[in-house]
Amino acid sequence: MDYSQISWNNDTFNKAIKFLLAKTFDLREGEYKRAFLMQLNIFLIITTLLVIKPTVNGLFISQFGVESMPLAFVIVAICATGFSVFYSKKLIAIPLHLLIRRTLIVSVATLISFGILLSFNILTNWVIYLLYIWVAIFAVLSASQFWILANMVFNSREAKRLFGFIGAGAIAGGIFGGYLTSLLASSIGTENLLFVSAFILFFCIPITQTIWRENISGKQSVFTSRSLPKGINDNPFQLIRKSKHLTYLAGIVGVSVIVAKLVDYQFNAIASHKITNPDELTAFFGFWFSNFNVLSLVIQLFLTRRVVGVFGVGTSLFVLPAAIFSGAVLILFAPSLFAAIFIKMADGSLKQSINKSSVELLALPIPLEIKNKTKTFIDVFVDSVATGIGGLILILVVNAFQLSTNLISLIILLVLSAWFYFAMQVRKEYIHSFQLKIKSTEKSTSNKTIKNSDSILNGLITVLQKGNDKQILWVLQKSLENPNDKLFTPIVKLLLHHNGSIRAEALRNLYFYRNSSLIPQISGMINDPDQEVKIRAFEYLMAHDPENRISIMNKYLNDDNYKISGAALLSLASEVRDNPELKKQYELRRIIALKINQLAAEPHPEIAHEITKILLIAIGKGNIVSYFSFIENGLQNSHPDLVKTAIVAAGYSMSPEFIDRLIQFIPDKHHFNDTSAALARYGVEILTILQTQVELPNNLSISRKIPSIVANIDSQKSVEFLFKLMDSEDFQIRQEALVSLNTLKIKFPFLHFDRKLVIDTIFEEVNTIQDTLSILYLQSKLEQVVPTAVNEEIIEARKSLIILLERRLDGALNRIFSLLELKYPPEEISSAHKSFQSTKLDIRISSIEYLENILDSRLKKVLIPLFETTTLETISKETLKNLNIHIPDEIECYQMLLNGNDIKIKLAVLYLITQIRGIQYLQLVQNYVNNPNQKVSDFAKKAVQALTA
């Protein structure tokens, strides 16, 4: 036998399989094992679920009757809500891989235990009821854990390419599990299916351990690890409540769950009435659950894109409720088994296909991080509450009013009316959000207004065809989250756009479209004058021309044009960053080493300079640890342009070893913007290190810049961090923190700003203003009564203090307006603030009148009189009395100022006391001799010396 021929055949077969996978799913070297293990994992999980779900439904209905299901829905909702809170805390305290492993082990043991108890008829009623509740929780928990793990195993670009392939495993598991149940239920008995499901689920344990060990454990730092939700946090309820868009989306999810429970009850009731044998009922459920999955797959593959593309998202939202409406009417007048199958099929097949795609597209205006936060809340809490409501409705109509199964359709039709309402409202809210964003990107009022369209997709297309550059870029960036075939053609046309940024963004979008090939056209864009376009072109070719990837890279990495070879290198570095096997295959480390060695021989210094910059970015993007020293050398370079590039490269690397070095660049105004962006790339984990910097003594040059860095980090923890800085002793830090809070509010509008905290901070500023007004009044009086023969130094010292107090007054007023922008629409408060700063009295008064109409009663009562007082030319004793402001004596006045948190005013007070030389101030000054702030301490010592001389 010719073994070499067999080996050659096997090699050819493997290459053919890899080619097919690359062409169909865009799997690449280094991804096969990860992708297949994850696909197998979800296949086994869903297979298990589709075995135990029909099993428990059959057992429950046979044992308790369908009339017991409503109460079970309520109990499931209560247990699921309580468990989700418990699980959320565990997710924070226990590493994810341990939590998943323990969950799987406990689940396998639980299934075996339930199987043994049922086989020996031990506590049968209790066991079946507990099993029903446990299956409902397991269904949510297992899927949630899997997709959290998937987001850690794959980066965002890999996820967009591979999640469809992995998700096919879930559909296959649904089909296989259901048919397996229908085949085995009659032959081995329903209760024995629990042992089958435990056997299937057991294999998820070693698979999960392998995935974690080979792809996550020890491979990433805290900064480079992928996003892991830490329980249900960042107050998702507030995020939903403050957004009409999110509220309506949550409403759709809620009513769809209620309708699903009512439909589920009708389906189970009619089926159990027609099929009385428990094993046959289990087989029936398994068979039809698989059929629903098959139909859902067919609709997803062949109809979803066409329906959403042709009719638009607005119309597509009504497909599922309309189909359920038809089924409900059918059951109302002809409650047959066919009618029950039809309505359940409508819910089971359309929910995960057309309806899911429509809802995802409607969520486009919502920032991705906010969607992730609120999705957990909606999936767990909204789903659980809606399940409970569905159960309570059924208890009411079945037990209290004794409505027959077919009359439950009337309740379904009533709830569907709420569904239709939410669908219409969320569509309107989307169009409103879309229009606001488009208007905000207009350069001037002379630009054409984009008209509303009956189809949201048509509206996006209109912008891509007729919008200005900023509008087009915004739509391209948003469409990345949910690529749609209908956008393909207008995006392709943008490849000829005059703006290089738009051409690059169009290529970035086309990267994720697998249905058409533009290889010849995009190959020509390698010579585009814009460097970013070159890079995006190479990324597209690597994704869409798998059989020629290596030859393309080998050709262009050595191109004589350093810009083309550089673009090829940068695209390659981005693609292989998290893929060790691809790094080896393309020999990225060797390529970089070769190009570094060639730098010395480059005869043109300017070209060597540009190649150095390309290498810096490539090392950072590719996370080539062995050449981090090259970045370190760049950070120490004497040429500002190379330092700038090295800073950017360090940010791309997200390596902890560069953090201290980057922090040293914070005070450098020439490099601050790049340093800020680089540190922000490290994400929310960098806040702990920045907090340490703020707490260091004599570190103001860095501390004062930190708030503006935090303003680039989209996290609720950034808000909390900046609010803490509002208590800083340094005026500039407080001011920068407030400015950064406003920046966060504008850049990330879905972040939550605690209204109570905002109001409390406003009242602190009010107290500051009141104290300042009283002290200013006293100091002005003292200035007037001082004899002209007195020491000139005292006069100047008092004038300096008064100037600082006036500045503090203005600063406090400005901060109040900035704080109001965190509570009210920023554009309204900003307009009022500008008017309030006018030199014309009538305009300032108009501003106050405007504020009186928008502020709530509590704020209005305090702020309006204060604003009116600041418009006066002079402040009298009577004015302060009307405001209930206490006027202190001189010692009390200085005590108040020294107890404050403004360093400059403290120094001015100590200097004034030094000049006055009044022994009555000695005890007061001695309290500040050992002040932690060195300047305050030094000034206090000088004052003590002057007072005791």
Side-chain angles (χ1 to χ4, degrees):
M1 181 179 291
D2 189 349
Y3 291 101
S4 63
Q5 184 67 27
I6 294 175
S7 176
W8 185 87
N9 288 337
N10 286 339
D11 188 51
T12 304
F13 177 75
N14 289 337
K15 286 182 178 178
I17 292 294
K18 287 184 177 182
F19 176 79
L20 181 64
L21 290 171
K23 265 296 187 186
T24 309
F25 300 107
D26 197 17
L27 262 73
R28 304 178 185 178
E29 289 293 338
E31 295 174 348
Y32 297 112
K33 187 174 181 180
R34 279 188 291 162
F36 276 109
L37 282 176
M38 290 298 290
Q39 188 186 62
L40 178 60
N41 202 3
I42 192 63
F43 171 83
L44 294 174
I45 290 171
I46 301 302
T47 297
T48 302
L49 188 59
L50 264 291
V51 171
I52 58 177
K53 192 172 181 181
T55 301
V56 74
N57 279 6
L59 288 170
F60 187 91
I61 293 171
S62 299
Q63 190 73 17
F64 300 106
V66 74
E67 62 275 3
S68 298
M69 290 192 73
L71 180 60
F73 289 160
V74 176
I75 295 174
V76 165
I78 294 170
C79 292
T81 302
F83 178 81
S84 66
V85 175
F86 167 79
Y87 178 76
S88 177
K89 293 178 180 178
K90 290 296 180 185
L91 189 57
I92 297 172
I94 301 175
L96 180 67
H97 67 290
L98 292 179
L99 200 58
I100 294 176
R101 185 173 67 185
R102 291 174 189 178
T103 300
L104 290 171
I105 292 171
V106 169
S107 297
V108 170
T110 301
L111 286 168
I112 294 172
S113 300
F114 280 136
I116 293 171
L117 291 171
L118 289 174
S119 297
F120 291 97
N121 295 317
I122 301 171
L123 301 172
T124 302
N125 288 354
W126 279 100
V127 170
I128 293 174
Y129 223 108
L130 288 173
L131 179 61
Y132 188 89
I133 294 169
W134 179 84
V135 169
I137 295 173
F138 173 77
V140 176
L141 181 61
S142 58
S144 174
Q145 286 185 336
F146 173 83
W147 289 112
I148 290 174
L149 179 64
N151 279 303
M152 296 184 70
V153 172
F154 300 100
N155 63 38
S156 59
R157 296 185 69 155
E158 291 171 337
K160 285 186 178 180
R161 285 190 290 105
L162 302 178
F163 275 12
F165 172 76
I166 293 167
I171 297 173
I175 295 169
F176 177 75
Y179 286 142
L180 180 67
T181 303
S182 64
L183 289 172
L184 296 180
S186 300
S187 57
I188 68 173
T190 299
E191 62 277 358
N192 290 319
L193 285 172
L194 296 178
F195 297 111
V196 175
S197 61
F199 177 77
I200 294 170
L201 187 62
F202 172 80
F203 290 100
C204 290
I205 299 172
I207 291 172
T208 302
Q209 288 179 311
T210 301
I211 291 168
W212 186 274
R213 183 180 64 252
E214 295 187 358
N215 299 286
I216 301 172
S217 179
K219 297 288 182 71
Q220 299 168 323
S221 71
V222 67
F223 302 105
T224 56
S225 61
R226 295 172 179 99
S227 176
L228 171 62
K230 297 290 192 296
I232 299 172
N233 53 16
D234 287 1
N235 205 336
F237 176 76
Q238 292 290 348
L239 293 173
I240 294 172
R241 187 179 64 83
K242 67 185 282 193
S243 165
K244 288 183 179 179
H245 200 141
L246 283 170
T247 300
Y248 292 137
L249 280 175
I252 286 177
V253 171
V255 296
S256 68
V257 171
I258 294 172
V259 168
K261 294 306 173 186
L262 299 177
V263 167
D264 200 35
Y265 178 84
Q266 282 190 314
F267 175 68
N268 287 320
I270 294 173
S272 62
H273 178 71
K274 301 291 185 182
I275 306 169
T276 55
N277 182 280
D279 293 338
E280 290 180 6
L281 186 61
T282 298
F284 170 83
F285 285 144
F287 176 75
W288 279 105
F289 284 165
S290 287
N291 289 343
F292 299 154
N293 276 285
V294 172
L295 184 58
S296 179
L297 177 61
V298 171
I299 292 172
Q300 181 66 17
L301 291 176
F302 301 107
L303 290 178
T304 296
R305 289 185 176 180
R306 288 178 173 84
V307 171
V308 176
V310 173
F311 297 104
V313 180
T315 304
S316 303
L317 273 177
F318 297 96
V319 172
L320 174 58
I324 294 175
F325 180 91
S326 302
V329 171
L330 188 62
I331 289 180
L332 183 62
F333 296 106
S336 61
L337 187 59
F338 166 77
I341 292 172
F342 176 83
I343 193 171
K344 183 65 177 175
M345 185 180 295
D347 181 62
S349 61
L350 294 174
K351 181 178 287 184
Q352 297 303 320
S353 51
I354 293 174
N355 191 71
K356 183 179 180 182
S357 295
S358 301
V359 171
E360 284 181 352
L361 195 56
L362 267 177
L364 269 177
I366 302 169
L368 195 58
E369 183 174 340
I370 300 302
K371 276 187 279 192
N372 292 339
K373 294 170 185 173
T374 53
K375 185 180 184 300
T376 305
F377 181 86
I378 291 171
D379 285 349
V380 178
F381 285 100
V382 175
D383 189 287
S384 299
V385 171
T387 297
I389 293 172
L392 291 172
I393 291 172
L394 285 169
I395 290 173
L396 184 67
V397 300
V398 174
N399 297 338
F401 296 113
Q402 299 292 313
L403 288 185
S404 60
T405 302
N406 61 320
L407 291 180
I408 291 174
S409 288
L410 295 173
I411 308 298
I412 292 177
L413 296 175
L414 182 63
V415 180
L416 282 174
S417 65
W419 192 334
F420 286 121
Y421 169 78
F422 283 127
M424 287 187 289
Q425 292 302 316
V426 76
R427 178 182 173 277
K428 289 178 183 177
E429 189 61 30
Y430 174 84
I431 292 175
H432 176 66
S433 301
F434 178 71
Q435 287 296 324
L436 283 178
K437 189 64 182 179
I438 292 300
K439 288 178 181 177
S440 72
T441 57
E442 290 178 355
K443 288 183 178 178
S444 67
T445 55
S446 63
N447 286 315
K448 293 180 180 179
T449 301
I450 305 302
K451 295 180 180 178
N452 285 348
S453 169
D454 290 335
S455 166
I456 295 169
L457 275 173
N458 287 339
L460 294 173
I461 292 169
T462 302
V463 175
L464 292 175
Q465 293 172 339
K466 300 178 181 179
N468 62 45
D469 289 3
K470 286 187 178 180
Q471 292 170 344
I472 293 171
L473 281 170
W474 179 77
V475 172
L476 287 172
Q477 288 160 2
K478 294 309 296 182
S479 62
L480 272 173
E481 295 174 20
N482 288 290
N484 187 281
D485 284 348
K486 200 171 182 182
L487 299 176
F488 178 78
T489 301
I491 291 176
V492 170
K493 291 179 180 178
L494 292 174
L495 294 178
L496 301 175
H497 199 276
H498 65 87
N499 188 320
S501 297
I502 289 177
R503 295 197 301 275
E505 200 63 34
L507 282 168
R508 191 173 168 217
N509 272 260
L510 292 172
Y511 178 97
F512 297 106
Y513 285 88
R514 302 296 303 164
N515 58 342
S516 297
S517 176
L518 298 166
I519 291 173
Q521 181 179 353
I522 293 176
S523 293
M525 298 184 75
I526 288 172
N527 296 303
D528 192 278
D530 188 284
Q531 189 69 2
E532 187 65 22
V533 173
K534 287 186 176 75
I535 296 169
R536 296 295 181 191
F538 277 115
E539 288 176 354
Y540 181 92
L541 293 175
M542 286 192 70
H544 293 258
D545 196 7
E547 62 270 30
N548 295 317
R549 281 178 193 149
I550 294 179
S551 61
I552 289 172
M553 283 295 120
N554 287 340
K555 176 182 177 181
Y556 289 108
L557 282 170
N558 298 305
D559 196 279
D560 292 337
N561 186 329
Y562 75 89
K563 291 185 178 180
I564 291 177
S565 63
L569 179 61
L570 291 174
S571 65
L572 180 63
S574 296
E575 288 293 309
V576 306
R577 174 187 177 96
D578 298 313
N579 192 323
E581 290 187 35
L582 270 186
K583 279 184 183 179
K584 289 179 182 177
Q585 180 182 348
Y586 287 100
E587 298 183 305
L588 182 59
R589 185 178 177 279
R590 185 189 64 81
I591 293 168
I592 287 176
L594 182 64
K595 287 188 177 293
I596 289 175
N597 291 333
Q598 290 173 346
L599 270 177
E602 174 56 52
H604 301 93
E606 66 278 5
I607 294 179
H609 179 86
E610 293 301 319
I611 293 174
T612 302
K613 288 167 61 177
I614 290 169
L615 287 169
L616 285 166
I617 299 297
I619 293 167
K621 281 189 171 183
N623 197 28
I624 312 298
V625 179
S626 54
Y627 279 98
F628 277 177
S629 58
F630 194 77
I631 296 178
E632 183 60 42
N633 291 337
L635 293 172
Q636 298 174 14
N637 199 283
S638 58
H639 198 295
D641 195 33
L642 288 181
V643 174
K644 169 188 169 75
T645 307
I647 289 170
V648 174
Y652 278 126
S653 77
M654 287 183 284
S655 171
E657 72 179 75
F658 292 123
I659 292 176
D660 289 341
R661 194 74 182 85
L662 288 172
I663 287 173
Q664 292 173 22
F665 281 105
I666 290 177
D668 188 334
K669 63 180 181 180
H670 300 293
H671 295 301
F672 175 71
N673 289 338
D674 296 304
T675 304
S676 176
L679 287 169
R681 280 184 175 275
Y682 284 82
V684 69
E685 287 81 8
I686 199 70
L687 294 180
T688 304
I689 294 172
L690 295 181
Q691 180 63 46
T692 303
Q693 289 294 318
V694 172
E695 293 170 357
L696 290 175
N698 304 317
N699 198 35
L700 288 178
S701 61
I702 290 177
S703 299
R704 287 172 175 171
K705 295 283 190 178
I706 283 175
S708 56
I709 297 173
V710 177
N712 294 314
I713 301 174
D714 180 10
S715 170
Q716 196 62 39
K717 290 183 179 178
S718 298
V719 177
E720 296 165 6
F721 181 93
L722 290 171
F723 265 113
K724 287 180 182 176
L725 291 187
M726 293 285 288
D727 294 329
S728 171
E729 281 197 346
D730 185 76
F731 169 80
Q732 196 168 332
I733 291 178
R734 297 199 306 275
Q735 193 66 30
E736 289 296 328
L738 187 52
V739 170
S740 296
L741 280 168
N742 287 109
T743 303
L744 277 176
K745 176 75 180 287
I746 294 168
K747 289 176 69 174
F748 313 113
F750 282 84
L751 289 177
H752 172 62
F753 293 80
D754 189 324
R755 294 193 174 193
K756 183 180 181 303
L757 185 56
V758 170
I759 290 174
D760 288 346
T761 310
I762 287 174
F763 280 114
E764 288 176 11
E765 295 296 340
V766 167
N767 291 334
T768 299
I769 291 176
Q770 290 176 337
D771 290 344
T772 306
L773 286 172
S774 65
I775 295 168
L776 266 174
Y777 171 78
L778 176 66
Q779 291 298 317
S780 298
K781 290 296 180 185
L782 290 172
E783 186 182 35
Q784 292 170 12
V785 299
V786 171
T788 53
V790 80
N791 191 327
E792 282 291 328
E793 282 79 4
I794 297 178
I795 297 174
E796 291 303 317
R798 199 179 300 280
K799 281 183 179 178
S800 297
L801 178 59
I802 290 173
I803 290 171
L804 286 174
L805 290 170
E806 288 172 345
R807 288 178 183 172
R808 184 167 88 159
L809 184 63
D810 290 338
L813 285 168
N814 290 334
R815 286 193 296 277
I816 284 177
F817 278 100
S818 296
L819 288 163
L820 288 173
E821 287 184 28
L822 300 178
K823 187 177 188 301
Y824 297 98
E827 61 276 7
E828 293 182 8
I829 301 300
S830 178
S831 176
H833 189 195
K834 287 178 182 176
S835 299
F836 187 77
Q837 291 174 315
S838 172
T839 55
K840 296 180 180 179
L841 183 60
D842 58 331
I843 295 178
R844 297 187 73 183
I845 291 173
S846 297
S847 171
I848 295 171
E849 289 175 355
Y850 175 72
L851 288 168
E852 195 168 9
N853 287 313
I854 64 173
L855 298 180
D856 60 44
S857 56
R858 185 183 173 194
L859 287 173
K860 189 190 307 181
K861 183 179 178 181
V862 175
L863 292 180
I864 298 302
L866 208 59
F867 290 153
E868 288 174 340
T869 301
T870 59
T871 63
L872 301 175
E873 289 290 336
T874 57
I875 301 171
S876 66
K877 191 173 183 178
E878 289 71 24
T879 303
L880 296 178
K881 187 177 180 181
N882 290 335
L883 290 174
N884 264 345
I885 296 176
H886 166 68
I887 301 173
D889 59 35
E890 193 169 4
I891 291 181
E892 187 182 356
C893 158
Y894 298 144
Q895 178 73 68
M896 290 166 62
L897 294 175
L898 289 171
N899 284 342
N901 56 6
D902 193 312
I903 299 295
K904 286 185 178 180
I905 287 180
K906 288 183 180 182
L907 299 178
V909 169
L910 291 169
Y911 180 74
L912 176 59
I913 290 174
T914 303
Q915 302 307 318
I916 295 174
R917 298 176 184 270
I919 193 65
Q920 68 271 27
Y921 306 120
L922 180 59
Q923 184 59 49
L924 175 62
V925 172
Q926 284 177 333
N927 294 331
Y928 296 89
V929 168
N930 297 316
N931 192 274
N933 186 286
Q934 191 60 49
K935 282 190 176 181
V936 173
S937 176
D938 290 344
F939 271 60
K941 289 175 182 176
K942 288 180 182 178
V944 169
Q945 289 174 1
L947 296 176
T948 56

